[in-house]
Amino acid sequence: MSSENQRVSNSETDAFFVFADNNDTFIFADDNGGQASNDSVSQAVPNSPPATVAVWKILIVDDDVLVHRATILALEDCTFESKPLTFLHAHSGTEAKYLIQTHPDTALILLDVVMETDDAGLQVVQYIRTELHNHKVRIILRTGQPGEAPEASVILNYDINDYRLKTELTRQKLITVVISSLRSYGNILKIENQNSELTLALDHLQQTQAQLIQAEKMSSLGQMVAGVAHEINNPTNFIYGNLFHTETYMQGLLKLIKTYQEHYPTPVQAIQTTAESIDLPFLMEDLPKLFDSMRSGTERIKHIVESLRNFSRLDEAEIKPVDIHSGIESTLLILQHRLQANDKHPEIAVIKEYGQLPLVNCYVGALNQVFMNILSNAIDALKMGTSKWGITSETFSLPTIRIRTEIADVDRVLIRIADNGLGMSESTLKRIFNPFFTTKPVGSGTGLGLSISYSIVVEQHRGHLTCSSAPGKGTEFVIDIFI
Ligand SMILES: Nc1ncnc2c1ncn2[C@@H]1O[C@H](COP(=O)(O)OP(=O)(O)OP(=O)(O)O)[C@@H](O)[C@H]1O
Ligand SMILES: [Mg+2]
């Protein structure tokens, strides 16, 4: 650096007259009769809420030790927002780069331009902003002479916050410039804090919104299912309950007819005609079979109703031992109509490879939601097309969902749900658990299914929910929870 215009004396009185031009006797001295004290600085700056720093770190970069000393003398007693200033010293660009890297919380750099090279200071600016991506630290260039680094082009090309000639810096001016830089650094910190608080709040809000929407969706589905189940349940019970009595009556009547036939083998003509018209022998043989099939039909309805009720237990808040397979079965039952073939799609086969599972402690309604979300996604994917089954070793050419359950490490249960749909690209796979992420057309997907499933498995059940998928290779979700 050029020191032609400096007069840094070793004597204490002279020490304030730094960077002074010969004609300017007040340079770097107190501008207002020695009142440029810390007090005046502190008074000028009302005590605002504490920033996130305990001290203001200032890095002085200059190859002239006298500049360091003079700067310290000028600033050492200053405080800002009741926090002291502390100084780091670099005597070259290289040293400055090292210090800023190790002290990323530096608030301000007073930076010389010409040091080991003519543009060492500018290189430091470049390094800080583009390599360290530190855009918070305030940088004041202090050049020795106007010609050293042309102000206009430096301000234009480098992200610096102020440009001062050493010759123009009086003590008061230095203090002013430093304090205003610290203030803007403090403001940046506050804005950054507020930004991250806002981002957190936004994330939280999105999560809550997602949960509310999904909860609403599932609760309406659950309520509808519960309602339908209830409505079907009552008439089914009439039928099922009366079936037993009807069958007993029917057996009695058949017995009576047989007894008549034994004792009156040749009945009167009218009875014979009626018996022929109703094909009595066939009727007597077929009637018990009809009752059998009616019984099994009503039993099936009862089973379906039970499944629907099982699925709709969404509001059951407590954790209890549950048969996982019955949850999967109920969900499949609700999705049954979507698995069947129609004029656009072939039938979707479901291969079940259920292991021997004990009852698993879980929130049954919530876990059923997870099955529902994963299975509906698999159906959606299979309706788009099928691919070679690449995620698992098997290959199925028809649209297929394979559900496999097993015990892992004694205390965990794994539920694998795989499909041979078209799979996902890497970038889709990365985002599937994000709330509102969907690749489905507007109106057909909310993008909530998997984010909710994730929070149910991971947060509510302390388990893991993972997915493997690749384009053209299908998809597999694994739910991993403790027994
Ligand atoms: N089995 C799958 N195969 C291919 N892509 C899938 C599969 N499962 C999920 N995805 C992708 O993940 C995205 C997010 O799924 P998610 O269930 O969260 O939302 P969605 O199905 O789009 O909407 P909805 O809220 O109605 O469930 C889907 O849009 C889809 O791109
Ligand atoms: Mg979905």
Side-chain angles (χ1 to χ4, degrees), residues 217 372-374 376-378 380 438 440 444-450:
K217 212 167 96 181
M372 181 72 154
N373 288 327
I374 296 177
S376 347
N377 283 344
D380 288 343
T438 181
K440 293 173 190 168
S444 72
T446 59
L448 292 177
L450 288 180

Side-chain angles (χ1 to χ4, degrees), residues 164-182:
R164 296 288 165 144
L165 293 177
K166 288 173 188 170
T167 46
E168 64 167 329
L169 278 178
T170 62
R171 178 181 184 232
Q172 186 58 46
K173 273 184 187 156
L174 181 64
I175 290 173
T176 311
V177 129
V178 164
I179 292 302
S180 78
S181 299
L182 294 183

